[in-house]
Amino acid sequence: MNQNLCGSKIMDDFQDGRLRILIADHERAILYRKMLSSSYDLVLCHQGDEAVKAVERSLGEKRPFAVAFLDIQMHIGPDGVELPERIHKLDPSTEVVIITDDSAVSSEKIAYHVSPGDKLLHLQKPFSAFEIQQLASVLGTKWQESRRIGKIHKELKNQVEKQSAELARLDKELRKQIAKRKRSEAVLRESREIFYSFMKYLPAMSFIKDRKGCYIYLNETCKKVFGANTADRIGKTDDEFLPIQVAQQLKANDRIVMTEGKVLNILETIEIRDEIRYLLVSKFPIFKNGKPFFLGGIATDITDKIHAEKQRRVLRKKIHPLMNTIIDMCEMITDMAAYTEHRESLDTIFASAKSLRVLINEILDIGIEVDEPGFKNIAFPVEDAAESPDPEPQVLPDSLPGLNIREAVKRLGGNWYLYADIFVFFCDDKKNFARDFRAFVENEEFEIALINAHALKGSAATISATRLNKAAKALEDICKSKNKAQILDLLGPVADAIEH
Protein backbone atom coordinates (compact mmCIF):
# COMPACT_ATOMS: atom_id res chain seq x y z
CA MET A 1 0.00 0.00 0.00
CA ASN A 2 1.33 3.42 -0.92
CA GLN A 3 0.59 6.79 0.67
CA ASN A 4 1.22 10.25 -0.83
CA LEU A 5 3.06 12.80 1.34
CA CYS A 6 3.89 16.33 0.14
CA GLY A 7 3.95 15.16 -3.46
CA SER A 8 6.31 12.16 -2.90
CA LYS A 9 5.51 8.45 -2.50
CA ILE A 10 6.33 6.82 0.83
CA MET A 11 6.28 3.00 1.12
CA ASP A 12 4.84 1.55 4.33
CA ASP A 13 6.95 -1.03 6.11
CA PHE A 14 5.08 -4.28 5.35
CA GLN A 15 5.57 -7.15 2.95
CA ASP A 16 3.67 -7.45 -0.35
CA GLY A 17 1.29 -4.67 0.62
CA ARG A 18 0.16 -6.52 3.79
CA LEU A 19 0.46 -5.24 7.37
CA ARG A 20 2.51 -7.33 9.79
CA ILE A 21 0.70 -8.66 12.86
CA LEU A 22 2.30 -10.40 15.86
CA ILE A 23 0.32 -13.16 17.60
CA ALA A 24 1.49 -14.33 21.05
CA ASP A 25 -1.05 -16.99 22.06
CA HIS A 26 -0.14 -20.63 22.69
CA GLU A 27 -3.74 -21.86 22.52
CA ARG A 28 -5.40 -20.14 19.52
CA ALA A 29 -2.62 -19.83 16.92
CA ILE A 30 -4.52 -21.87 14.33
CA LEU A 31 -7.62 -19.76 14.86
CA TYR A 32 -5.75 -16.51 14.22
CA ARG A 33 -4.18 -18.00 11.10
CA LYS A 34 -7.57 -18.83 9.64
CA MET A 35 -8.99 -15.38 10.50
CA LEU A 36 -6.11 -13.14 9.40
CA SER A 37 -3.54 -14.91 7.20
CA SER A 38 -5.27 -14.06 3.95
CA SER A 39 -5.05 -10.30 4.53
CA TYR A 40 -2.04 -9.84 6.82
CA ASP A 41 1.56 -11.00 7.23
CA LEU A 42 1.32 -13.00 10.47
CA VAL A 43 4.09 -13.98 12.87
CA LEU A 44 2.92 -16.58 15.46
CA CYS A 45 4.69 -17.03 18.79
CA HIS A 46 3.86 -19.53 21.57
CA GLN A 47 6.00 -17.93 24.27
CA GLY A 48 6.61 -14.38 25.54
CA ASP A 49 10.36 -14.56 24.90
CA GLU A 50 9.71 -15.51 21.28
CA ALA A 51 7.44 -12.48 20.88
CA VAL A 52 10.08 -10.09 22.26
CA LYS A 53 12.74 -11.51 19.91
CA ALA A 54 10.33 -11.27 16.98
CA VAL A 55 9.84 -7.56 17.70
CA GLU A 56 13.60 -6.98 17.97
CA ARG A 57 14.15 -8.82 14.67
CA SER A 58 11.41 -6.84 12.90
CA LEU A 59 12.97 -3.56 13.92
CA GLY A 60 16.38 -4.72 12.70
CA GLU A 61 14.83 -5.63 9.35
CA LYS A 62 12.93 -2.31 9.33
CA ARG A 63 9.66 -4.23 8.97
CA PRO A 64 7.88 -3.38 12.23
CA PHE A 65 4.65 -4.89 13.46
CA ALA A 66 1.51 -2.83 13.15
CA VAL A 67 -0.62 -4.80 15.65
CA ALA A 68 0.20 -7.33 18.37
CA PHE A 69 -2.43 -9.67 19.87
CA LEU A 70 -1.08 -10.87 23.26
CA ASP A 71 -2.66 -13.48 25.49
CA ILE A 72 -2.40 -12.36 29.09
CA GLN A 73 -1.87 -15.97 30.26
CA MET A 74 1.55 -16.84 28.81
CA HIS A 75 3.05 -19.88 30.55
CA ILE A 76 6.67 -19.37 29.56
CA GLY A 77 8.52 -16.05 29.49
CA PRO A 78 7.07 -12.61 30.23
CA ASP A 79 3.47 -12.66 31.41
CA GLY A 80 0.56 -10.65 30.04
CA VAL A 81 1.61 -7.52 31.98
CA GLU A 82 5.36 -7.61 31.38
CA LEU A 83 5.17 -8.62 27.69
CA PRO A 84 3.30 -5.54 26.35
CA GLU A 85 5.50 -3.33 28.51
CA ARG A 86 8.68 -4.78 26.96
CA ILE A 87 7.21 -4.60 23.43
CA HIS A 88 6.33 -0.91 23.84
CA LYS A 89 9.82 -0.16 25.13
CA LEU A 90 11.18 -1.61 21.87
CA ASP A 91 8.55 -0.07 19.57
CA PRO A 92 6.10 2.42 21.14
CA SER A 93 4.15 2.67 17.88
CA THR A 94 2.84 -0.94 17.96
CA GLU A 95 -0.89 -1.22 18.55
CA VAL A 96 -1.30 -3.84 21.37
CA VAL A 97 -4.45 -5.87 22.09
CA ILE A 98 -4.48 -7.76 25.43
CA ILE A 99 -6.62 -10.92 25.37
CA THR A 100 -8.06 -11.32 28.91
CA ASP A 101 -10.57 -13.43 30.81
CA ASP A 102 -12.29 -13.17 34.15
CA SER A 103 -9.40 -14.74 36.03
CA ALA A 104 -6.80 -12.49 34.48
CA VAL A 105 -5.10 -9.41 35.87
CA SER A 106 -7.32 -6.34 36.01
CA SER A 107 -7.31 -3.87 33.13
CA GLU A 108 -6.39 -1.04 35.54
CA LYS A 109 -3.20 -2.82 36.54
CA ILE A 110 -2.22 -3.46 32.93
CA ALA A 111 -2.87 0.17 31.95
CA TYR A 112 -0.83 1.32 34.92
CA HIS A 113 2.24 -0.66 33.82
CA VAL A 114 1.89 -0.34 30.04
CA SER A 115 2.16 2.94 28.14
CA PRO A 116 1.28 4.75 25.99
CA GLY A 117 -2.36 4.27 26.80
CA ASP A 118 -3.59 5.13 23.32
CA LYS A 119 -1.72 2.09 21.95
CA LEU A 120 -3.35 -0.46 24.27
CA LEU A 121 -6.77 -2.21 24.03
CA HIS A 122 -8.38 -5.09 25.98
CA LEU A 123 -10.40 -7.92 24.40
CA GLN A 124 -12.46 -10.12 26.70
CA LYS A 125 -12.72 -13.86 26.05
CA PRO A 126 -14.62 -15.36 24.45
CA PHE A 127 -14.47 -13.29 21.23
CA SER A 128 -15.67 -13.80 17.71
CA ALA A 129 -13.69 -13.93 14.48
CA PHE A 130 -15.39 -10.73 13.37
CA GLU A 131 -14.04 -8.88 16.42
CA ILE A 132 -10.47 -9.97 15.68
CA GLN A 133 -10.79 -8.99 12.01
CA GLN A 134 -12.33 -5.65 12.89
CA LEU A 135 -9.62 -4.84 15.44
CA ALA A 136 -6.88 -5.83 13.01
CA SER A 137 -8.38 -3.62 10.31
CA VAL A 138 -9.06 -0.58 12.50
CA LEU A 139 -5.80 -0.74 14.45
CA GLY A 140 -3.79 -1.45 11.27
CA THR A 141 -5.31 1.59 9.61
CA LYS A 142 -4.61 3.65 12.74
CA TRP A 143 -0.98 2.45 12.76
CA GLN A 144 -0.56 3.34 9.10
CA GLU A 145 -2.07 6.79 9.59
CA SER A 146 0.09 7.36 12.65
CA ARG A 147 3.24 6.50 10.70
CA ARG A 148 2.12 8.63 7.75
CA ILE A 149 1.54 11.58 10.07
CA GLY A 150 4.89 10.90 11.72
CA LYS A 151 6.64 11.01 8.37
CA ILE A 152 4.79 14.20 7.44
CA HIS A 153 5.78 15.70 10.78
CA LYS A 154 9.40 14.71 10.24
CA GLU A 155 9.45 16.17 6.74
CA LEU A 156 7.74 19.35 7.93
CA LYS A 157 10.27 19.58 10.74
CA ASN A 158 13.11 19.29 8.23
CA GLN A 159 11.49 21.93 6.05
CA VAL A 160 11.02 24.23 9.04
CA GLU A 161 14.66 23.76 10.03
CA LYS A 162 15.81 24.55 6.48
CA GLN A 163 13.52 27.57 6.27
CA SER A 164 14.63 28.72 9.72
CA ALA A 165 18.26 28.47 8.62
CA GLU A 166 17.45 30.40 5.44
CA LEU A 167 15.51 33.02 7.41
CA ALA A 168 18.44 33.35 9.80
CA ARG A 169 20.78 33.84 6.85
CA LEU A 170 18.44 36.39 5.28
CA ASP A 171 18.05 38.16 8.62
CA LYS A 172 21.81 38.39 8.97
CA GLU A 173 22.15 39.69 5.42
CA LEU A 174 19.31 42.15 5.99
CA ARG A 175 20.99 43.46 9.13
CA LYS A 176 24.19 43.97 7.14
CA GLN A 177 22.28 45.81 4.44
CA ILE A 178 20.50 47.96 7.02
CA ALA A 179 23.81 48.80 8.72
CA LYS A 180 25.36 49.62 5.33
CA ARG A 181 22.37 51.75 4.40
CA LYS A 182 22.57 53.61 7.70
CA ARG A 183 26.25 54.32 7.08
CA SER A 184 25.43 55.51 3.56
CA GLU A 185 22.63 57.71 4.87
CA ALA A 186 24.97 59.17 7.47
CA VAL A 187 27.55 59.95 4.78
CA LEU A 188 24.81 61.42 2.60
CA ARG A 189 23.53 63.60 5.45
CA GLU A 190 27.07 64.80 6.15
CA SER A 191 27.61 65.54 2.45
CA ARG A 192 24.35 67.46 2.31
CA GLU A 193 25.23 69.45 5.43
CA ILE A 194 28.63 70.33 3.95
CA PHE A 195 27.04 71.25 0.62
CA TYR A 196 24.30 73.42 2.12
CA SER A 197 26.73 75.05 4.58
CA PHE A 198 29.09 75.86 1.72
CA MET A 199 26.30 77.19 -0.47
CA LYS A 200 24.74 79.16 2.39
CA TYR A 201 27.82 81.31 2.90
CA LEU A 202 29.02 81.36 -0.72
CA PRO A 203 29.03 85.08 -1.68
CA ALA A 204 28.34 84.25 -5.33
CA MET A 205 24.92 83.26 -6.60
CA SER A 206 24.63 79.54 -7.36
CA PHE A 207 21.83 77.51 -8.89
CA ILE A 208 21.00 74.08 -10.31
CA LYS A 209 18.61 73.30 -13.16
CA ASP A 210 17.27 69.98 -14.37
CA ARG A 211 17.43 68.83 -17.98
CA LYS A 212 14.18 70.66 -18.75
CA GLY A 213 15.67 73.94 -17.55
CA CYS A 214 13.60 74.08 -14.33
CA TYR A 215 15.32 75.50 -11.27
CA ILE A 216 15.66 72.89 -8.52
CA TYR A 217 18.06 74.76 -6.24
CA LEU A 218 18.96 78.39 -5.42
CA ASN A 219 21.41 79.31 -2.66
CA GLU A 220 21.04 82.00 0.02
CA THR A 221 22.78 84.65 -2.08
CA CYS A 222 20.23 84.09 -4.85
CA LYS A 223 17.45 84.53 -2.31
CA LYS A 224 18.94 87.82 -1.15
CA VAL A 225 19.42 89.08 -4.70
CA PHE A 226 16.06 87.99 -6.08
CA GLY A 227 14.14 88.57 -2.86
CA ALA A 228 10.57 87.31 -2.57
CA ASN A 229 10.63 85.91 -6.11
CA THR A 230 13.07 83.13 -5.19
CA ALA A 231 10.54 80.57 -3.95
CA ASP A 232 8.45 81.15 -7.07
CA ARG A 233 11.38 80.16 -9.30
CA ILE A 234 11.76 76.60 -7.97
CA GLY A 235 10.23 74.22 -10.51
CA LYS A 236 10.01 76.95 -13.18
CA THR A 237 12.06 77.83 -16.25
CA ASP A 238 13.53 81.18 -17.32
CA ASP A 239 10.62 81.61 -19.77
CA GLU A 240 8.19 82.04 -16.89
CA PHE A 241 9.71 85.15 -15.29
CA LEU A 242 12.19 86.72 -17.76
CA PRO A 243 11.65 88.60 -21.02
CA ILE A 244 11.47 86.33 -24.06
CA GLN A 245 14.73 87.57 -25.60
CA VAL A 246 16.64 87.16 -22.34
CA ALA A 247 15.16 83.73 -21.61
CA GLN A 248 15.97 82.46 -25.11
CA GLN A 249 19.59 83.50 -24.80
CA LEU A 250 19.98 81.89 -21.36
CA LYS A 251 18.43 78.67 -22.66
CA ALA A 252 20.76 78.72 -25.65
CA ASN A 253 23.73 78.96 -23.30
CA ASP A 254 22.31 76.10 -21.22
CA ARG A 255 21.99 73.90 -24.31
CA ILE A 256 25.66 74.38 -25.13
CA VAL A 257 26.61 73.14 -21.67
CA MET A 258 24.26 70.13 -21.66
CA THR A 259 24.87 69.14 -25.29
CA GLU A 260 28.64 69.47 -25.34
CA GLY A 261 29.15 68.57 -21.67
CA LYS A 262 31.61 71.37 -21.04
CA VAL A 263 32.03 74.46 -18.87
CA LEU A 264 30.85 77.77 -20.33
CA ASN A 265 32.07 81.11 -18.91
CA ILE A 266 29.94 84.00 -20.18
CA LEU A 267 28.54 87.40 -19.33
CA GLU A 268 24.75 87.45 -18.98
CA THR A 269 22.45 90.41 -18.47
CA ILE A 270 19.15 90.10 -16.60
CA GLU A 271 16.68 92.43 -14.95
CA ILE A 272 16.43 92.21 -11.16
CA ARG A 273 13.95 94.43 -9.35
CA ASP A 274 13.60 96.72 -12.35
CA GLU A 275 17.37 97.16 -12.63
CA ILE A 276 19.68 95.76 -15.28
CA ARG A 277 22.38 93.59 -13.66
CA TYR A 278 25.51 92.18 -15.30
CA LEU A 279 26.45 88.66 -14.16
CA LEU A 280 29.72 86.86 -14.83
CA VAL A 281 28.41 83.28 -15.01
CA SER A 282 30.20 79.92 -15.07
CA LYS A 283 27.83 77.17 -16.21
CA PHE A 284 28.85 73.54 -15.99
CA PRO A 285 27.25 70.08 -16.40
CA ILE A 286 26.58 67.81 -13.41
CA PHE A 287 27.01 64.22 -14.54
CA LYS A 288 25.04 61.09 -13.72
CA ASN A 289 26.03 57.72 -15.19
CA GLY A 290 28.60 59.52 -17.32
CA LYS A 291 26.09 61.89 -18.97
CA PRO A 292 25.07 65.50 -18.21
CA PHE A 293 22.03 65.22 -15.94
CA PHE A 294 21.79 68.62 -14.23
CA LEU A 295 23.17 72.07 -15.02
CA GLY A 296 24.99 73.96 -12.29
CA GLY A 297 25.87 77.62 -12.33
CA ILE A 298 27.80 80.16 -10.27
CA ALA A 299 27.21 83.83 -10.99
CA THR A 300 29.05 86.90 -9.72
CA ASP A 301 27.34 90.27 -9.96
CA ILE A 302 29.83 92.65 -11.60
CA THR A 303 27.34 95.47 -12.23
CA ASP A 304 29.16 97.82 -9.84
CA LYS A 305 32.48 97.10 -11.54
CA ILE A 306 30.99 97.84 -14.92
CA HIS A 307 29.52 101.12 -13.69
CA ALA A 308 32.89 101.98 -12.14
CA GLU A 309 34.56 101.23 -15.46
CA LYS A 310 32.19 103.60 -17.22
CA GLN A 311 33.00 106.31 -14.70
CA ARG A 312 36.71 105.62 -15.14
CA ARG A 313 36.41 106.09 -18.87
CA VAL A 314 34.55 109.32 -18.39
CA LEU A 315 37.26 110.54 -16.01
CA ARG A 316 39.95 109.48 -18.45
CA LYS A 317 38.31 111.46 -21.24
CA LYS A 318 38.05 114.52 -18.99
CA ILE A 319 41.46 114.33 -17.30
CA HIS A 320 43.65 113.38 -20.25
CA PRO A 321 42.99 116.58 -22.25
CA LEU A 322 43.62 118.73 -19.17
CA MET A 323 46.86 116.94 -18.33
CA ASN A 324 48.05 117.15 -21.92
CA THR A 325 47.27 120.88 -21.97
CA ILE A 326 49.21 121.47 -18.74
CA ILE A 327 52.21 119.55 -20.04
CA ASP A 328 52.12 121.32 -23.39
CA MET A 329 51.94 124.71 -21.70
CA CYS A 330 54.84 123.86 -19.37
CA GLU A 331 56.91 122.75 -22.34
CA MET A 332 56.10 125.93 -24.27
CA ILE A 333 56.89 128.25 -21.31
CA THR A 334 60.13 126.37 -20.68
CA ASP A 335 61.21 126.91 -24.28
CA MET A 336 60.29 130.60 -24.10
CA ALA A 337 62.21 131.10 -20.84
CA ALA A 338 65.25 129.16 -21.82
CA TYR A 339 67.62 131.73 -20.34
CA THR A 340 65.63 133.01 -17.41
CA GLU A 341 66.40 132.42 -13.80
CA HIS A 342 63.17 130.42 -13.50
CA ARG A 343 64.26 127.77 -15.99
CA GLU A 344 65.09 125.23 -13.28
CA SER A 345 61.71 125.66 -11.60
CA LEU A 346 59.90 125.30 -14.92
CA ASP A 347 61.81 122.07 -15.65
CA THR A 348 60.67 120.73 -12.29
CA ILE A 349 57.04 121.62 -13.02
CA PHE A 350 57.28 120.02 -16.45
CA ALA A 351 58.74 116.76 -15.07
CA SER A 352 56.16 116.65 -12.27
CA ALA A 353 53.30 117.09 -14.75
CA LYS A 354 54.52 114.16 -16.85
CA SER A 355 54.92 112.00 -13.73
CA LEU A 356 51.41 112.97 -12.64
CA ARG A 357 50.01 111.92 -16.01
CA VAL A 358 51.66 108.50 -15.70
CA LEU A 359 50.26 108.11 -12.17
CA ILE A 360 46.74 109.08 -13.25
CA ASN A 361 46.92 106.62 -16.14
CA GLU A 362 47.88 103.85 -13.76
CA ILE A 363 45.01 104.71 -11.40
CA LEU A 364 42.48 104.85 -14.21
CA ASP A 365 43.72 101.55 -15.67
CA ILE A 366 42.44 99.63 -12.61
CA GLY A 367 39.14 98.23 -13.87
CA ILE A 368 37.59 96.02 -16.52
CA GLU A 369 37.38 96.90 -20.17
CA VAL A 370 33.59 96.69 -20.72
CA ASP A 371 30.87 99.11 -21.67
CA GLU A 372 27.40 98.04 -22.78
CA PRO A 373 27.60 94.20 -22.69
CA GLY A 374 25.23 92.31 -24.91
CA PHE A 375 24.25 88.64 -25.03
CA LYS A 376 27.40 87.29 -26.62
CA ASN A 377 29.22 84.10 -25.65
CA ILE A 378 32.41 85.99 -24.90
CA ALA A 379 33.72 87.13 -21.57
CA PHE A 380 33.80 90.94 -21.87
CA PRO A 381 32.93 92.64 -25.18
CA VAL A 382 34.51 96.04 -25.68
CA GLU A 383 32.49 98.27 -28.01
CA ASP A 384 33.72 101.78 -27.36
CA ALA A 385 37.41 101.61 -26.52
CA ALA A 386 39.34 104.87 -26.46
CA GLU A 387 40.97 106.01 -29.67
CA SER A 388 44.41 105.76 -28.11
CA PRO A 389 44.23 103.09 -25.41
CA ASP A 390 46.76 103.20 -22.61
CA PRO A 391 49.37 100.47 -22.36
CA GLU A 392 48.24 97.30 -20.58
CA PRO A 393 49.49 97.07 -16.98
CA GLN A 394 52.05 94.29 -16.93
CA VAL A 395 51.15 92.67 -13.64
CA LEU A 396 52.05 89.24 -15.10
CA PRO A 397 54.38 88.10 -17.92
CA ASP A 398 52.87 87.07 -21.24
CA SER A 399 53.52 83.41 -20.51
CA LEU A 400 54.93 80.95 -18.03
CA PRO A 401 55.73 77.23 -18.43
CA GLY A 402 52.40 75.56 -19.09
CA LEU A 403 50.46 78.87 -19.10
CA ASN A 404 49.40 81.04 -22.03
CA ILE A 405 48.66 84.11 -19.91
CA ARG A 406 48.10 86.58 -22.73
CA GLU A 407 45.51 84.32 -24.35
CA ALA A 408 43.63 83.98 -21.04
CA VAL A 409 43.73 87.73 -20.40
CA LYS A 410 42.42 88.33 -23.90
CA ARG A 411 39.38 86.13 -23.13
CA LEU A 412 38.81 88.21 -20.00
CA GLY A 413 38.56 91.43 -21.98
CA GLY A 414 42.18 92.39 -21.39
CA ASN A 415 41.82 92.62 -17.60
CA TRP A 416 45.10 91.42 -16.12
CA TYR A 417 43.95 91.97 -12.57
CA LEU A 418 40.86 89.80 -12.98
CA TYR A 419 43.06 87.05 -14.41
CA ALA A 420 45.37 87.33 -11.39
CA ASP A 421 42.43 86.95 -9.02
CA ILE A 422 41.14 83.90 -10.92
CA PHE A 423 44.62 82.37 -11.02
CA VAL A 424 45.14 82.79 -7.25
CA PHE A 425 41.71 81.26 -6.59
CA PHE A 426 42.53 78.32 -8.89
CA CYS A 427 45.80 77.60 -7.11
CA ASP A 428 44.13 77.63 -3.71
CA ASP A 429 41.14 75.58 -4.84
CA LYS A 430 43.13 72.84 -6.62
CA LYS A 431 46.08 72.46 -4.24
CA ASN A 432 44.68 69.19 -2.82
CA PHE A 433 43.19 67.91 -6.08
CA ALA A 434 45.52 64.91 -6.47
CA ARG A 435 44.96 63.71 -2.90
CA ASP A 436 41.17 64.04 -3.05
CA PHE A 437 40.97 62.51 -6.55
CA ARG A 438 43.05 59.48 -5.49
CA ALA A 439 40.64 58.90 -2.57
CA PHE A 440 37.64 58.94 -4.94
CA VAL A 441 39.28 56.39 -7.25
CA GLU A 442 40.43 54.07 -4.45
CA ASN A 443 36.86 54.11 -3.05
CA GLU A 444 35.60 53.32 -6.60
CA GLU A 445 33.58 56.54 -6.69
CA PHE A 446 34.25 56.83 -10.42
CA GLU A 447 31.36 59.15 -11.20
CA ILE A 448 32.58 61.74 -8.67
CA ALA A 449 36.13 61.33 -10.02
CA LEU A 450 34.83 61.93 -13.57
CA ILE A 451 33.06 65.12 -12.48
CA ASN A 452 36.20 66.42 -10.73
CA ALA A 453 38.38 65.66 -13.76
CA HIS A 454 35.90 67.44 -16.01
CA ALA A 455 35.81 70.48 -13.69
CA LEU A 456 39.61 70.60 -13.57
CA LYS A 457 39.73 70.53 -17.37
CA GLY A 458 37.37 73.52 -17.55
CA SER A 459 39.22 75.46 -14.86
CA ALA A 460 42.53 74.82 -16.60
CA ALA A 461 41.05 76.11 -19.85
CA THR A 462 39.89 79.28 -18.07
CA ILE A 463 43.42 80.18 -16.98
CA SER A 464 44.92 78.83 -20.26
CA ALA A 465 46.94 76.15 -18.46
CA THR A 466 47.42 74.22 -21.69
CA ARG A 467 49.52 71.38 -20.31
CA LEU A 468 47.17 70.83 -17.37
CA ASN A 469 44.13 71.06 -19.65
CA LYS A 470 45.43 68.23 -21.85
CA ALA A 471 46.34 66.08 -18.84
CA ALA A 472 42.93 66.69 -17.25
CA LYS A 473 41.15 65.76 -20.49
CA ALA A 474 43.06 62.49 -20.69
CA LEU A 475 42.20 61.81 -17.04
CA GLU A 476 38.53 62.57 -17.72
CA ASP A 477 38.44 60.17 -20.68
CA ILE A 478 40.05 57.29 -18.76
CA CYS A 479 37.65 57.78 -15.82
CA LYS A 480 34.84 56.49 -18.03
CA SER A 481 36.59 53.09 -18.22
CA LYS A 482 36.46 52.71 -14.40
CA ASN A 483 39.90 51.04 -14.57
CA LYS A 484 41.49 52.01 -11.25
CA ALA A 485 45.10 51.28 -12.28
CA GLN A 486 44.91 53.23 -15.54
CA ILE A 487 43.20 56.18 -13.85
CA LEU A 488 45.86 56.42 -11.15
CA ASP A 489 48.59 56.20 -13.81
CA LEU A 490 47.19 59.31 -15.55
CA LEU A 491 46.77 61.13 -12.23
CA GLY A 492 50.55 61.56 -12.07
CA PRO A 493 50.85 63.95 -15.05
CA VAL A 494 47.93 65.99 -13.68
CA ALA A 495 49.50 66.33 -10.25
CA ASP A 496 52.83 67.26 -11.84
CA ALA A 497 51.15 69.90 -14.02
CA ILE A 498 49.39 71.43 -10.99
CA GLU A 499 52.60 71.57 -8.94
CA HIS A 500 54.73 73.02 -11.73
Side-chain angles (χ1 to χ4, degrees), residues 234-404:
I234 298 298
K236 296 182 179 180
T237 64
D238 293 318
D239 294 318
E240 299 179 64
F241 52 85
L242 290 176
I244 296 177
Q245 182 182 1
V246 177
Q248 288 178 346
Q249 185 59 54
L250 296 184
K251 289 169 64 177
N253 294 335
D254 293 348
R255 281 194 296 271
I256 294 174
V257 175
M258 298 301 286
T259 302
E260 300 182 10
K262 66 179 184 179
V263 178
L264 184 63
N265 298 312
I266 56 174
L267 185 69
E268 294 181 338
T269 304
I270 64 175
E271 184 176 334
I272 302 176
R273 298 176 184 176
D274 299 326
E275 182 183 358
I276 299 299
R277 308 297 296 182
Y278 303 110
L279 304 179
L280 180 61
V281 184
S282 177
K283 294 185 175 182
F284 50 89
I286 299 175
F287 290 87
K288 183 178 181 180
N289 298 327
K291 296 181 179 179
F293 195 77
F294 295 111
L295 180 142
I298 298 177
T300 302
D301 190 340
I302 59 171
T303 304
D304 293 341
K305 290 185 177 181
I306 290 178
H307 291 331
E309 173 64 16
K310 291 180 180 180
Q311 294 176 0
R312 182 185 68 84
R313 292 187 175 211
V314 171
L315 289 175
R316 176 185 290 179
K317 291 179 180 180
K318 290 180 179 180
I319 292 176
H320 280 187
L322 295 175
M323 288 301 306
N324 291 335
T325 300
I326 293 173
I327 292 173
D328 291 342
M329 293 299 295
C330 287
E331 185 176 8
M332 182 181 66
I333 294 172
T334 301
D335 292 339
M336 293 173 60
Y339 302 104
T340 67
E341 58 182 3
H342 301 293
R343 174 58 186 268
E344 184 176 352
S345 298
L346 291 173
D347 288 340
T348 302
I349 294 174
F350 180 56
S352 299
K354 289 193 293 183
S355 298
L356 180 59
R357 182 173 61 179
V358 173
L359 179 59
I360 290 175
N361 284 338
E362 291 178 355
I363 294 174
L364 294 178
D365 279 333
I366 300 176
I368 52 178
E369 294 291 336
V370 297
D371 190 40
E372 294 292 340
F375 288 98
K376 299 179 181 179
N377 291 329
I378 57 176
F380 299 100
V382 181
E383 299 178 0
D384 59 347
E387 294 182 359
S388 300
D390 295 330
E392 295 175 341
Q394 295 296 319
V395 295
L396 289 173
D398 285 351
S399 64
L400 289 172
L403 290 174
N404 189 343

Side-chain angles (χ1 to χ4, degrees), residues 51 90 116 141 145 193 198 226 244 263 329 337 375 440 461 481 493 496:
L90 292 172
T141 301
E145 188 66 18
E193 290 174 0
F198 176 80
F226 293 105
I244 296 177
V263 178
M329 293 299 295
F375 288 98
F440 292 139
S481 69
D496 184 64

Side-chain angles (χ1 to χ4, degrees), residues 192-245:
R192 284 178 176 173
E193 290 174 0
I194 294 173
F195 172 79
Y196 285 116
S197 296
F198 176 80
M199 288 299 181
K200 181 178 181 180
Y201 299 105
L202 183 68
M205 291 178 284
S206 60
F207 56 87
I208 300 176
K209 299 179 183 179
D210 63 18
R211 286 183 291 183
K212 296 180 181 179
C214 297
Y215 287 91
I216 61 174
Y217 174 78
L218 294 165
N219 74 339
E220 292 294 326
T221 304
C222 282
K223 295 177 182 178
K224 293 177 181 178
V225 172
F226 293 105
N229 295 329
T230 303
D232 297 336
R233 296 197 175 196
I234 298 298
K236 296 182 179 180
T237 64
D238 293 318
D239 294 318
E240 299 179 64
F241 52 85
L242 290 176
I244 296 177
Q245 182 182 1

